Amino acid sequence: MTILDSRPPAGRPTSLLNVIFPFVGVLSFSELFFIKEPLDVTVIRKEAAILDCQARGEAPIDVRWLKSGVQIAENERVYLLSNGSLFISEVESRRGDKSDEGFYQCLAQNKYGAILSQKAHLTIASISSFSVQPTSIVATEGSVARFSCKIVAHPPPIITWEFNRVTLPLATERITVLPSGVLQIQGVQQADAGNYRCIATNISSRRRSTEATLTVTPGVLASSLFRPRIIASPQNISVSLHQTAILECMATGNPRPIISWSRADSKPIDVYNTKVLGNGNLIITDIKPQHGGVYLCRATTPGTRNYTMASANVTVLAPPSLVEWPESLTRPRAGTARFVCHAEGNPTPRITWLKNGEKVHSNGRIKMYNSKLVINQIIPEDDAIYQCQAENEQGSVLTMARLIVVMSEDRPSAPRNIRADTVSSSAILLAWERPLYNSDKVIAYSVHYMKAEGLNNEEYQIVIGNDTTRYIIDDLEPAHNYTFYVVAYMPMGASRMSDNVFQHTLEDVPLRAPELSLTSRSPTDIQVSWQPLPDKLSRGRVCSYRLSYRTSSDSAVSQIELPGEKTQHLLENLQPDTIYLLRIVAATSVGWGEQSAWTSHRTPKASVPLAPELHLESLNCTTILVRWQLAPRNSASVRGYKLFYHEESQPESTPVQFHASDNKHTIGGLDPRKKYHVKILAYNVVGDGYQADQTISTPGCVSVRDRLVPPPPPPHNVYAKTNSSTAVFLHWGRPAFTSSHTVNYTVRCNPVGLQNASLVLYLQTSEQSLHVRDLEPNTKYEFAVRLHLDQLSSPWSPVVYQSTFPKAPMRPPSNIKVTLIEEDTALVSWKLPDELNVPVTRYTILYASRNDWIAGEWQVMEREGTITMALLENLKPGQVYFVKVSASNDMGDGPFSHAVELTVQEDLPLAFSDSFYHLDQKSMTGISVGVCIALICIIICAFIIICRGKNRYLVSLSIVTMSHINSILSIYQTNKRNFPSVLQNTRLDASSYQHGTTVLTYEEELSPNQPTNLQTLLGRPGDTEGSSNSEGSHATGDSGRYSHDETELTNLSSGPSSHLASPTAEDGTESDCSSCAEELNELSEENQSKQKAKESMNAGSCRHEAQSRV
């Protein structure tokens, strides 16, 4: 039946224009629709016929009828009923257009538009003469006999047979009548001799064929054995969906052969819809697409491995079925509407688009390609009802959608001066000027582009903001021409389309190299061939190829350049029995692309045989027949053959050798249902030739088939209803037959698409209903019922489908992460709960600070089931937050996850009112270590000298020690920018410095009242720590300024707690090593020798300090 549905398919993305126009949406289509449509009908000539048609919608509704697309004129014989149906009082079967036979459609129309019904075929019952008449035959007693007839009739006739003018039963132990018109007689007897004829009957008439005579001759002795032979093999057939397929297979032999069936693709035969009629005919009822394929009939001599086979292909024809529907749209004038319609069927359905019941034709604005209908630059006349009609030889189906055009007079003019410039092989820059009128009301632009060459090219659309009039389209194909235009949009409408502009993309190097195919015609050549690259890979016109080759043992590569039109090349004068490596690369006018991988090929030996032609045949489940013959172009001498075979995954066996005259061999003793690899090669005095190998599977051994007994009919009216997420209630009716015996039922239950047959559930009951429990939630199941009477079982009932309800989530979402992305904003992300078949429709996010968590005050957020992240905003600094997430669906809420903590950092307080520095960790570490080593050396030297010296050397010691201090201060004066930051780095907490961040530093000035002698430095060791206390310095109210420029640093006055003096530049110049020497010259001569030793120590200390500073 026709499906009329305007619902959009699940998962369809929203159009980009829906973002711009909030009023765009999917309408609930109720303006006009059919509640009853015409169906196929077969009537007898001169009888009345009614074709139903009933439409609903806003009145008035006008109903018309079409026959083969032409409107029907009413008359006394053909007229419309009050409900819209078509009545034909006497059906005529005259020739030509005057016959009432044909395809009918109902057209309903109101103010919204018009819709067309599905096609209904009116057929006049008829029956022709027999196209195939039964023929007389002679059969041996005990053998088989077969008659056949064929006739064309509408509706299909019922075929019966008469023997000597007496009707034969449809099925006995020896006689089988197939619905296709075949009569089979097994075990022919003398009493079967006589005249046979075929009777074909339908509602229009009955026809009898000519009589055919069966002559029975005496049978041969029972000891005369012969192999089975199929005398009526199955034929390739095409069967409509839900109809019955008949595959005939009739064989003769002595003893009587056993007939078995299998599929060529090794899939199991559907035993629920399949049965064997007679001695070996396969009947498939209610045929479905999965029943299509190649079926094999095998006739086997009982107790032996002798058999013969025949095959036939079953093609299942299916009417169209819609898998994607067009959705109703609301669009502004000058906008773009896209309708999508996709259908499946066999043969592939043809898609036709209708507008108000009339076929849509492509033009400049309206384009149809694949299964899409695109309407550009919408005008008021496009406001209509559109229908998608999918049709093949098996039937048709229609669906509808409406396009509503919104009018707006206050709209902008079209964008102006559109220009296109090529940027690369895949990108073009498009530029335009704003509309001349109402440009201030433009909220967006829509860029449209498509290929300029060819027919029915797909048009692409990109929506961009109103803040630019330039856009680069970067997903184009190289070396193609494109056409572009631009449309401006405002809240209530769109402008007309701009002028079209054409531009081409540049060529590019090929994306890939061709695939090579290599063969050898002789031991000294290689035939190299390849397929041209498709446009998407060539990215332009291929102008040349470069073929490279070398031997596997040589690194020298030979190259040949070939024109781009060639697709093959013969390499000659090569070495026999040598492995060659070859590769190829393609080029366009831009350059060479990527080379292919090396492909190896071994040239044949100069005088060894080529590979024989090998043929394998399974004689039975344990025997394989191997046949071979020399290759036609083999010129080498052959001394014999070597045959190898082994079971798959087993080691190769020792070869069996044959003479040159042998050409076949039988391999026996194999295992049934196993895969074997067979390899053969020819050899001569030079060596082994090239091998041929194949793989073959042995069949399974079959047992004698039990005698077929007609089964009882299956249960009917099977009904399924879902009770919960794990249970389904089944009810069925007992078939109409009389029996006092107890009837039992078997219920088959399995998920749809189940591949493992061992997981199918079978349940027994004596009632006509059953609760099927312990099912999987949110799973679609198929159910079938069969009855058992005595020792007989009925076929399975038609399958019914039912899905269990989903269960509520039992686990929380997994992999929850909380990340601070801004100072007061965090991103929460999670994954689906680790549960199968549990849908999620909603997520709940709870979060709270530590104080709110203690008080039980959570903030709640909800997100749709397709969203797995959320933003937590307006978080307070210095707070610890707890976050947890739960999943929910229509069946209930799941548990919350464990709380995840998030710490929001407080802004760090400023340590000083001074300038910023950017110091890396290595510089700070180096300066700190250098200063510490220098101070330690000075203290150690001073302590040693004081302990060992005398009072008379105190002045000298003071001068030497003061010289050390002055040297350090000189180093400090030179590096005073870095020195305070070193001290500060030792004062600040480790967390206050991060690599790559700004650090606050300060400097101290020398106070005129501060002492500068040795006692001040060495006598108060705690002052250094006191001057390094950043908190103390800040508490004294130090003032200064901030600066991001290191050259703007100035000295700041230090607080009372700062005791380390900072010398000025002048002090630094007077504190060098030369001033130390002048003071030493003033000492008495009696101390010069000892003083020189002290001077030497002083100079060494200066050098040590200079090294430490560096």
Side-chain angles (χ1 to χ4, degrees), residues 241-243 245 247 261-276 281-295 314 316 748 750 754 757 760 762 782-784 786 794-799 801:
L241 192 67
H242 304 303
Q243 299 301 311
L247 295 175
W261 287 90
S262 62
R263 289 178 59 110
D265 54 10
S266 300
K267 293 181 180 179
I269 292 180
D270 182 7
V271 298
Y272 309 117
N273 293 85
T274 306
K275 63 180 180 180
V276 175
N281 308 289
L282 192 68
I283 309 295
I284 306 174
T285 59
D286 190 23
I287 198 165
K288 298 179 179 62
Q290 61 264 30
H291 293 138
V294 177
Y295 288 77
V314 176
V316 181
R748 187 184 83 235
N750 61 272
L754 181 68
V760 178
Y762 295 93
E782 62 180 38
F783 302 88
R786 73 190 311 177
S794 74
W796 289 100
S797 67
V799 174
Y801 299 92

Side-chain angles (χ1 to χ4, degrees), residues 779-1048:
T779 303
K780 187 176 182 180
Y781 283 85
E782 62 180 38
F783 302 88
V785 186
R786 73 190 311 177
L787 66 82
H788 308 282
L789 181 64
D790 293 337
Q791 296 182 351
L792 300 178
S793 298
S794 74
W796 289 100
S797 67
V799 174
V800 295
Y801 299 92
Q802 191 69 19
S803 298
T804 54
F805 293 141
K807 68 176 181 179
M810 302 299 293
R811 297 184 180 181
S814 61
N815 199 22
I816 298 175
K817 297 181 180 179
V818 184
T819 307
L820 194 66
I821 59 175
E822 292 182 6
E823 295 179 354
D824 62 345
T825 304
L827 176 66
V828 185
S829 63
W830 60 88
K831 292 184 179 179
L832 286 169
D834 295 329
E835 295 181 279
L836 295 177
N837 296 328
V838 178
V840 176
T841 59
R842 184 180 71 259
Y843 290 100
T844 303
I845 304 100
L846 300 183
Y847 68 99
S849 63
R850 187 183 297 273
N851 296 333
D852 294 339
W853 171 69
I854 295 174
E857 297 176 359
W858 293 89
Q859 298 189 53
V860 182
M861 298 175 60
E862 291 188 350
R863 292 292 182 268
E864 295 180 359
T866 57
I867 299 174
T868 57
M869 61 179 61
L871 288 177
L872 307 182
E873 299 176 313
N874 301 322
L875 304 179
K876 298 178 181 180
Q879 295 284 341
V880 176
Y881 283 85
F882 297 91
V883 183
K884 54 185 180 179
V885 187
S886 75
S888 308
N889 59 22
D890 295 336
M891 303 303 294
D893 300 328
F896 279 94
S897 64
H898 295 295
V900 179
E901 291 188 15
L902 170 68
T903 302
V904 182
Q905 297 276 345
E906 264 189 297
D907 294 335
L908 293 176
L910 298 179
F912 301 100
S913 301
D914 204 349
S915 305
F916 288 87
Y917 278 96
H918 296 276
L919 290 178
D920 59 81
Q921 189 172 0
K922 292 184 179 179
S923 300
M924 294 172 62
T925 304
I927 296 173
S928 301
V929 173
V931 172
C932 292
I933 292 175
L935 291 175
I936 291 172
C937 291
I938 293 172
I939 294 171
I940 292 174
C941 292
F943 180 76
I944 293 173
I945 294 172
I946 292 174
C947 293
R948 294 182 178 180
K950 297 180 179 180
N951 292 336
R952 65 173 178 268
Y953 298 124
L954 182 58
V955 176
S956 173
L957 177 60
S958 301
I959 295 173
V960 172
T961 305
M962 195 63 211
S963 174
H964 284 72
I965 298 301
N966 290 335
S967 299
I968 296 302
L969 296 177
S970 176
I971 297 171
Y972 158 78
Q973 183 66 21
T974 306
N975 298 277
K976 64 182 180 178
R977 292 173 180 260
N978 298 332
F979 198 82
S981 62
V982 176
L983 297 180
Q984 181 201 18
N985 191 51
T986 62
R987 293 193 303 269
L988 295 176
D989 187 87
S991 63
S992 64
Y993 173 78
Q994 297 180 3
H995 181 66
T997 60
T998 303
V999 180
L1000 296 178
T1001 64
Y1002 79 103
E1003 296 181 358
E1004 297 180 273
E1005 280 188 351
L1006 181 63
S1007 174
N1009 298 326
Q1010 283 182 317
T1012 59
N1013 53 22
L1014 181 62
Q1015 182 182 3
T1016 303
L1017 180 64
L1018 300 179
R1020 303 176 63 182
D1023 290 347
T1024 302
E1025 294 182 4
S1027 64
S1028 301
N1029 192 330
S1030 63
E1031 294 181 1
S1033 175
H1034 186 72
T1036 57
D1038 292 344
S1039 61
R1041 69 178 187 272
Y1042 295 114
S1043 172
H1044 293 284
D1045 189 353
E1046 295 183 2
T1047 62
E1048 296 180 2

Side-chain angles (χ1 to χ4, degrees), residues 417-548:
N417 299 331
I418 183 170
R419 304 177 304 279
D421 296 313
T422 301
V423 177
S424 66
S425 61
S426 61
I428 289 178
L429 171 63
L430 197 66
W432 62 91
E433 294 182 8
R434 296 182 180 276
L436 188 61
Y437 303 107
N438 293 329
S439 61
D440 56 330
K441 298 181 180 180
V442 173
I443 62 172
Y445 292 98
S446 176
V447 175
H448 303 252
Y449 64 97
M450 62 184 297
K451 288 181 180 178
E453 298 98 349
L455 299 174
N456 291 331
N457 291 319
E458 184 170 1
E459 182 180 279
Y460 299 92
Q461 176 183 355
I462 301 172
V463 177
I464 60 177
N466 64 348
D467 56 345
T468 182
T469 57
R470 298 161 60 88
Y471 189 80
I472 295 179
I473 299 97
D474 57 0
D475 58 349
L476 308 177
E477 294 183 15
H480 279 83
N481 288 325
Y482 285 85
T483 177
F484 304 85
Y485 69 88
V486 183
V487 176
Y489 288 92
M490 58 180 293
M492 293 303 295
S495 71
R496 299 185 184 277
M497 58 187 291
S498 68
D499 294 334
N500 282 277
V501 64
F502 294 87
Q503 188 65 8
H504 67 278
T505 52
L506 302 175
E507 285 191 342
D508 205 343
V509 297
L511 193 62
R512 193 184 304 168
E515 297 287 344
L516 291 179
S517 176
L518 308 174
T519 58
S520 288
R521 299 179 178 178
S522 70
T524 59
D525 67 32
I526 297 178
Q527 178 69 42
V528 186
S529 57
W530 60 91
Q531 293 293 329
L533 290 171
D535 291 342
K536 288 187 177 181
L537 298 180
S538 65
R539 303 204 289 188
R541 187 183 67 84
V542 175
C543 57
S544 58
Y545 296 98
R546 180 185 294 160
L547 181 63
S548 305

Side-chain angles (χ1 to χ4, degrees), residues 163-224:
F163 171 57
N164 293 332
R165 304 295 176 93
V166 177
T167 303
L168 287 171
L170 295 180
T172 65
E173 184 177 356
R174 295 189 308 109
I175 298 176
T176 303
V177 177
L178 300 182
S180 57
V182 174
L183 172 64
Q184 297 176 344
I185 305 175
Q186 302 284 341
V188 173
Q189 304 172 0
Q190 286 291 342
D192 297 327
N195 298 321
Y196 292 82
R197 69 177 179 180
C198 171
I199 311 297
T201 307
N202 70 359
I203 60 175
S204 67
S205 182
R206 171 180 294 182
R207 290 190 181 273
R208 295 176 175 84
S209 69
T210 58
E211 289 188 334
T213 302
L214 171 61
T215 303
V216 180
T217 60
V220 296
L221 295 177
S223 59
S224 301

Side-chain angles (χ1 to χ4, degrees), residues 10-286:
R12 180 188 291 266
T14 304
S15 171
L16 290 173
L17 293 180
N18 290 355
V19 180
I20 301 174
F21 305 104
F23 51 80
V24 175
V26 179
L27 304 178
S28 58
F29 199 93
S30 60
E31 291 89 347
L32 185 63
F33 59 95
F34 288 111
I35 62 172
K36 186 176 289 187
E37 296 184 72
L39 301 175
D40 293 345
V41 60
T42 301
V43 296
I44 302 175
R45 181 176 175 271
K46 295 296 182 179
E47 287 190 354
I50 297 179
L51 297 173
D52 291 325
C53 177
Q54 296 182 32
R56 290 291 182 270
E58 189 169 336
I61 299 177
D62 178 42
V63 176
R64 289 171 289 167
W65 280 89
L66 308 177
K67 179 190 173 188
S68 301
V70 179
Q71 184 173 347
I72 297 176
E74 295 187 54
N75 52 45
E76 293 181 354
R77 190 177 60 87
V78 180
Y79 55 89
L80 269 66
L81 301 178
S82 59
N83 62 358
S85 299
L86 182 67
F87 180 76
I88 305 176
S89 60
E90 291 184 1
V91 174
E92 296 289 348
S93 61
R94 291 174 290 181
R95 295 182 178 179
D97 298 337
K98 294 182 180 181
S99 174
D100 292 325
E101 200 169 29
F103 290 94
Y104 289 78
Q105 284 179 288
C106 170
L107 180 71
Q109 184 174 11
N110 65 5
K111 68 176 185 178
Y112 295 106
I115 55 175
L116 198 63
S117 73
Q118 70 177 4
K119 290 183 178 180
H121 190 203
L122 188 148
T123 305
I124 299 176
S126 63
I127 187 168
S128 64
S129 301
F130 283 93
S131 58
V132 175
Q133 299 275 4
T135 57
S136 299
I137 58 174
V138 176
T140 304
E141 189 174 3
S143 65
V144 297
R146 177 182 180 273
F147 296 99
S148 67
C149 66
K150 186 175 294 185
I151 194 171
V152 177
H154 297 284
I158 298 174
I159 303 294
T160 58
W161 286 84
E162 291 182 349
F163 171 57
N164 293 332
R165 304 295 176 93
V166 177
T167 303
L168 287 171
L170 295 180
T172 65
E173 184 177 356
R174 295 189 308 109
I175 298 176
T176 303
V177 177
L178 300 182
S180 57
V182 174
L183 172 64
Q184 297 176 344
I185 305 175
Q186 302 284 341
V188 173
Q189 304 172 0
Q190 286 291 342
D192 297 327
N195 298 321
Y196 292 82
R197 69 177 179 180
C198 171
I199 311 297
T201 307
N202 70 359
I203 60 175
S204 67
S205 182
R206 171 180 294 182
R207 290 190 181 273
R208 295 176 175 84
S209 69
T210 58
E211 289 188 334
T213 302
L214 171 61
T215 303
V216 180
T217 60
V220 296
L221 295 177
S223 59
S224 301
L225 304 179
F226 57 93
R227 293 171 60 94
R229 180 172 61 90
I230 295 178
I231 61 174
S233 61
Q235 303 297 313
N236 296 337
I237 56 173
S238 296
V239 186
S240 298
L241 192 67
H242 304 303
Q243 299 301 311
T244 299
I246 302 172
L247 295 175
E248 182 187 7
C249 188
M250 191 176 184
T252 184
N254 192 17
R256 180 178 172 182
I258 299 172
I259 296 179
S260 61
W261 287 90
S262 62
R263 289 178 59 110
D265 54 10
S266 300
K267 293 181 180 179
I269 292 180
D270 182 7
V271 298
Y272 309 117
N273 293 85
T274 306
K275 63 180 180 180
V276 175
L277 184 62
N279 190 52
N281 308 289
L282 192 68
I283 309 295
I284 306 174
T285 59
D286 190 23

